[in-house]
Amino acid sequence: MSSSTPYTTGHELKSILINIATILLFILPVASYIYIDHAKEMIAGVAGSFILAFIAPPMGWMRPHPYSDMPGNRPKQS
Protein backbone atom coordinates (compact mmCIF):
# COMPACT_ATOMS: atom_id res chain seq x y z
CA MET A 1 0.00 0.00 0.00
CA SER A 2 1.52 3.31 -1.01
CA SER A 3 1.09 6.51 0.91
CA SER A 4 0.22 9.85 -0.63
CA THR A 5 3.06 11.67 1.14
CA PRO A 6 6.67 11.09 0.12
CA TYR A 7 8.92 9.22 2.53
CA THR A 8 11.34 11.48 4.39
CA THR A 9 14.80 10.07 5.07
CA GLY A 10 15.55 12.41 7.97
CA HIS A 11 18.48 14.00 6.17
CA GLU A 12 17.31 17.52 6.68
CA LEU A 13 19.95 20.24 7.01
CA LYS A 14 18.91 21.00 10.58
CA SER A 15 19.14 17.34 11.61
CA ILE A 16 22.63 17.04 10.16
CA LEU A 17 23.78 20.25 11.86
CA ILE A 18 22.40 19.08 15.22
CA ASN A 19 24.21 15.75 14.83
CA ILE A 20 27.52 17.45 13.98
CA ALA A 21 27.21 19.88 16.91
CA THR A 22 26.46 17.01 19.30
CA ILE A 23 29.44 14.99 18.06
CA LEU A 24 31.68 18.02 18.58
CA LEU A 25 30.29 18.43 22.09
CA PHE A 26 31.14 14.83 22.95
CA ILE A 27 34.67 15.17 21.51
CA LEU A 28 35.34 18.50 23.29
CA PRO A 29 36.48 17.17 26.72
CA VAL A 30 39.05 14.80 25.23
CA ALA A 31 40.28 17.31 22.67
CA SER A 32 40.59 20.10 25.22
CA TYR A 33 42.55 17.78 27.53
CA ILE A 34 44.97 16.86 24.73
CA TYR A 35 45.26 20.37 23.24
CA ILE A 36 45.07 22.54 26.36
CA ASP A 37 46.45 25.61 24.54
CA HIS A 38 43.51 25.62 22.11
CA ALA A 39 40.69 24.89 24.56
CA LYS A 40 39.02 28.31 24.24
CA GLU A 41 39.00 28.08 20.44
CA MET A 42 37.46 24.61 20.59
CA ILE A 43 34.77 25.78 23.02
CA ALA A 44 34.00 28.68 20.68
CA GLY A 45 33.78 26.24 17.75
CA VAL A 46 31.31 24.01 19.58
CA ALA A 47 29.24 27.02 20.65
CA GLY A 48 29.27 28.29 17.07
CA SER A 49 28.12 24.92 15.75
CA PHE A 50 25.16 24.93 18.15
CA ILE A 51 24.28 28.50 17.17
CA LEU A 52 24.41 27.50 13.50
CA ALA A 53 22.17 24.48 14.20
CA PHE A 54 19.74 26.71 16.12
CA ILE A 55 19.33 29.30 13.36
CA ALA A 56 19.07 26.75 10.52
CA PRO A 57 15.55 26.55 9.13
CA PRO A 58 13.16 25.77 10.75
CA MET A 59 14.33 28.22 13.39
CA GLY A 60 14.49 26.87 16.92
CA TRP A 61 15.74 23.97 18.96
CA MET A 62 13.45 21.24 17.63
CA ARG A 63 14.48 18.70 15.00
CA PRO A 64 12.07 18.63 12.03
CA HIS A 65 9.88 15.54 11.74
CA PRO A 66 6.97 14.64 9.48
CA TYR A 67 4.42 14.13 12.29
CA SER A 68 4.87 17.52 13.91
CA ASP A 69 1.79 19.42 15.01
CA MET A 70 3.47 22.63 13.88
CA PRO A 71 3.47 23.04 10.08
CA GLY A 72 6.69 25.07 10.20
CA ASN A 73 8.56 22.19 11.85
CA ARG A 74 7.79 19.61 9.17
CA PRO A 75 10.52 18.57 6.71
CA LYS A 76 10.49 20.09 3.26
CA GLN A 77 8.78 17.89 0.70
CA SER A 78 11.16 17.03 -2.12
Side-chain angles (χ1 to χ4, degrees):
M1 181 183 239
S2 67
S3 64
S4 60
T5 59
Y7 177 74
T8 58
T9 60
H11 295 144
E12 293 288 318
L13 176 64
K14 184 163 194 90
S15 294
I16 293 170
L17 290 174
I18 290 172
N19 289 342
I20 291 171
T22 305
I23 289 169
L24 291 176
L25 181 66
F26 287 143
I27 293 172
L28 179 65
V30 175
S32 63
Y33 180 76
I34 294 171
Y35 304 106
I36 294 173
D37 297 337
H38 303 288
K40 288 184 181 178
E41 290 88 356
M42 288 186 281
I43 292 170
V46 171
S49 67
F50 272 102
I51 290 170
L52 184 64
F54 182 81
I55 62 173
M59 178 88 168
W61 58 273
M62 292 188 290
R63 185 182 302 264
H65 60 91
Y67 304 112
S68 177
D69 292 336
M70 297 176 290
N73 197 39
R74 292 189 184 125
K76 294 183 181 124
Q77 302 297 328
S78 49

